[in-house]
Every structure is written in structure tokens, then in C-alpha cells.
Amino acid sequence: MIGGNESCTAGPIPMSYLSCLTYILGEWTGVEHIEDYLSYAAYLLWVLFPLAVVFLLPGVLVILFYTSVLLLHIYKRKNELKEAYSNDFWDGAKQMLATLWDGHGRIWHGYELHGAENIPEGPGLIVFYHGATPADYVYFMARLLIQKKRYCHAVADHFVFRLPGFKILLDVHGVMHGPKEECVSALKKGCLIAIAPGGVREALFSDEMYTIMWGNRKGFAQVAIDAKVPIIPMFTQNVREGVRTLGGIKIFRSLYERIRLPVVPLYGGFPVKLRTFIGEPIPYEPNITAEELTAKTKAALQALIEKHQKIPGNIFRALMERFQSQKKED
């Protein structure tokens, strides 16, 4: 048996396996001194590997979403007969996915939920700051379902409904397009709904300064007024340190404004500490206008950001917070 440092040829000049492979590759390609090119390629791989990792890690979330889709299809297939006789057919599937996502949040981000007692027993409209991905909202929804047995519907951007394979996931979780009438109807039925008024624009183009980007959007406030429900502000600490975007590059902003699709590259997927904070509800007031309620909600959300987030956000600091037992209060 020939060892790793022994000759791979019986010729007069013995060569190691690596030298032999380099020689064969050079003969096959006809490139002289190919070992110099290979050394350069290995150096580039070593230098660029960390960069490749930070752009590939966000793909883990995509894998988790499609894993959820696959599990729902399996669940439906195994329970087709039960579907005809049960009103709560998807309850088991929701619990299963909640366990999957809550486990990911606990392991990867040490996820914590604070202030859940501020969520009313009845209907309410949760308004939250949108990070580069909605992962923090999914963690919140999963934890709420596990701990409080409460389910929260979400209002999503239209492009989400065009993602291949996502229909079953959106249907099971009751994700809505967001017409005012649909939201008001759901709230009047006693549902809990979550919405990020900043939407995709805030997700892609806000930054480590945690700037709220709502523009002139106030439809959510009118929904709360029409449904006569409270608004509950919500913010997740370090949400922009987990995954960041290249939204600061002007060409991506121009492209988004033209085609309205999230074409901005993401990078990160860092295991930073995530803590979701639920603020005190803003009660329904019969005489308040949508403009006034929007301003009041924005001020409440800004207060949560200032209280729980160090500005500007810092990835290394957010990573170190994984080792802190107490949430930030200052």
C-alpha cells in the first residue's frame, strides 16, 4: 500500500500524489507552470471564502421556508381523509412549523420575546419595524402560538404571493394581500393581525440607523379605526444585524422603484441576539384621525427602537449580546 508521501509513479523521478496530479493536469490542459495558477486559485479561494459565506447564509432562511412548504404537503397527504371531517385540520401542521421555527430562533439567535402580556385577549393590529427579512416576525408568531396559543395573521407584499410553491404556506397561515376591507373583516372576527407599514422598501433600504420608512402610508391606521381595535407596536432588537442588504447602492434603489421587486442582494445570516419587544397598546379612540393615529404609532415604535436598540447597529456587538443574560433597557 502506498502512503500519501510516497511515489505515484514508478519512473526515475518519484512524485507525490499532489505533484503527480498537477503534472497530469498540466499535460491535459497544455498550460505550463500550472502549479503557479493553482497556488493563486487556492489563495483567492482562501481570501474570498468568508465573503462567499456571508452571501450564502441568508439562503438558510429560504431553505427553511421551503422545508415548511414540503412538510405541509406531507402533512396534507397523510391526513387527506381527516380533512373532510375536521374543522381544525391544519392545527397540527401549524404547531409543527411553530416548533421548527422556534427551534431555529432559539438555537441560531437565542431568540427572546418580551412584553407578550401587552397583546390583548381580543383582536388587535400589531405594527412592526421590517428587517431585511421577516424571520423575526416568524419567530414571534411561532413563540406566540407555542406559549399563548394565539395565532397572528400577517399582511404581506404582493410579490410574496407570486413566489413558486408558497401558496400552501400562505393559505395555511392566513397571510393576506392587505385590502382594507379584508383586514377590517378579519379584525372584527376577533383575529390578531400584524403589518409592517414600511414593507419591502423599509426592509431593503433602511440601514443600521434603523430609520422608519413609512412614507405617507396610513391605511393601517384607518383599518384600526374602522375595526375599533388597538394598535400594538413591536420591534426586534438587532434585526438589521442578522441580515443586511446592499440597499445603499443607488442602482439597486432605482431598479426596485422601476420594477417593484426585491432585487437587492442580501448578506449576513449572522447568529446575532434577537429580542422582540411588544409595546403598550394604543387604544382605539373614536375621534382620532388616521393621520393622528399614524403619527402616534410611529412615535411609539420609534420609542421602542430608542429604548432597546443601540444606534448605529453593530454586528460584532450584536453577536456579543448572545452572552448577555439581561435585555437592554437603557
Side-chain angles (χ1 to χ4, degrees):
M1 183 175 180
I2 300 176
N5 294 323
E6 297 180 11
S7 170
C8 68
T9 178
I13 303 177
M15 292 186 290
S16 68
Y17 282 124
L18 183 59
S19 299
C20 184
L21 181 62
T22 303
Y23 174 78
I24 293 172
L25 190 60
E27 289 292 314
W28 181 58
T29 61
V31 178
E32 295 183 1
H33 306 294
I34 195 170
E35 64 274 6
D36 295 334
Y37 293 98
L38 292 176
S39 297
Y40 183 65
Y43 173 74
L44 283 179
L45 180 63
W46 178 76
V47 170
L48 297 178
F49 180 74
L51 185 63
V53 168
V54 299
F55 279 97
L56 291 175
L57 273 177
V60 173
L61 293 176
V62 177
I63 293 172
L64 276 175
F65 276 116
Y66 276 102
T67 299
S68 300
V69 170
L70 177 62
L71 290 175
L72 287 177
H73 279 292
I74 294 172
Y75 181 89
K76 183 177 181 180
R77 182 69 175 176
K78 290 178 67 64
N79 293 273
E80 284 179 342
L81 184 60
K82 180 181 175 182
E83 182 177 14
Y85 303 97
S86 176
N87 294 324
D88 57 354
F89 173 72
W90 290 111
D91 283 357
K94 291 177 182 178
Q95 289 287 344
M96 174 180 62
L97 295 188
T99 302
L100 171 68
W101 281 95
D102 186 63
H104 183 268
R106 286 177 184 272
I107 295 170
W108 196 245
H109 293 292
Y111 180 76
E112 298 175 10
L113 175 60
H114 299 276
E117 65 277 4
N118 289 326
I119 298 176
E121 293 295 329
L125 183 64
I126 294 176
V127 175
F128 64 98
Y129 172 85
H130 204 313
T133 72
D136 62 309
Y137 167 74
V138 180
Y139 298 146
F140 156 74
M141 181 181 67
R143 185 67 57 86
L144 187 68
L145 183 61
I146 292 171
Q147 290 187 349
K148 301 290 185 180
K149 307 304 178 185
R150 290 290 307 276
Y151 190 76
C152 184
H153 300 266
V155 177
D157 192 273
H158 294 295
F159 89 90
V160 176
F161 295 87
R162 298 198 293 270
L163 293 174
F166 264 50
K167 185 178 186 304
I168 187 171
L169 187 64
L170 300 175
D171 289 345
V172 169
H173 288 90
V175 179
M176 297 181 287
H177 284 275
K180 294 179 183 178
E181 297 77 15
E182 184 182 5
C183 293
V184 171
S185 176
L187 288 168
K188 287 184 175 180
K189 292 177 182 177
C191 294
L192 190 64
I193 296 178
I195 185 171
V200 177
R201 185 175 285 105
E202 185 173 82
L204 299 180
F205 305 111
S206 186
D207 54 24
E208 64 272 15
M209 300 306 293
Y210 286 82
T211 305
I212 297 174
M213 302 178 67
W214 290 1
N216 295 319
R217 294 182 177 179
K218 54 182 182 292
F220 72 93
Q222 191 60 55
V223 166
I225 292 171
D226 292 345
K228 300 180 180 180
V229 299
I231 286 180
I232 307 102
M234 182 174 82
F235 170 71
T236 299
Q237 184 185 62
N238 297 325
V239 67
R240 297 212 76 89
E241 276 58 73
V243 176
R244 288 191 171 176
T245 76
L246 298 181
I249 300 176
K250 291 183 179 180
I251 189 173
F252 291 127
R253 182 64 181 266
S254 300
L255 187 59
Y256 170 76
E257 297 298 345
R258 181 180 297 273
I259 65 176
R260 293 301 177 90
L261 291 174
V263 292
V264 179
L266 306 177
Y267 69 95
F270 306 113
V272 301
K273 183 68 176 183
L274 293 184
R275 298 183 179 98
T276 294
F277 296 91
I278 311 294
E280 294 184 2
I282 302 171
Y284 164 70
E285 299 178 31
N287 298 321
I288 198 171
T289 65
E291 290 79 6
E292 293 170 338
L293 184 55
T294 299
K296 203 170 183 178
T297 305
K298 188 174 183 179
L301 186 57
Q302 186 65 50
L304 282 179
I305 294 174
E306 292 174 359
K307 182 178 181 180
H308 300 293
Q309 182 65 53
K310 290 182 179 179
I311 305 288
N314 181 278
I315 294 174
F316 179 74
R317 183 178 62 233
L319 287 168
M320 291 301 99
E321 288 177 4
R322 289 294 302 271
F323 304 99
Q324 299 175 4
S325 58
Q326 299 296 322
K327 63 180 182 293
K328 175 185 176 296
E329 292 291 354
D330 55 338

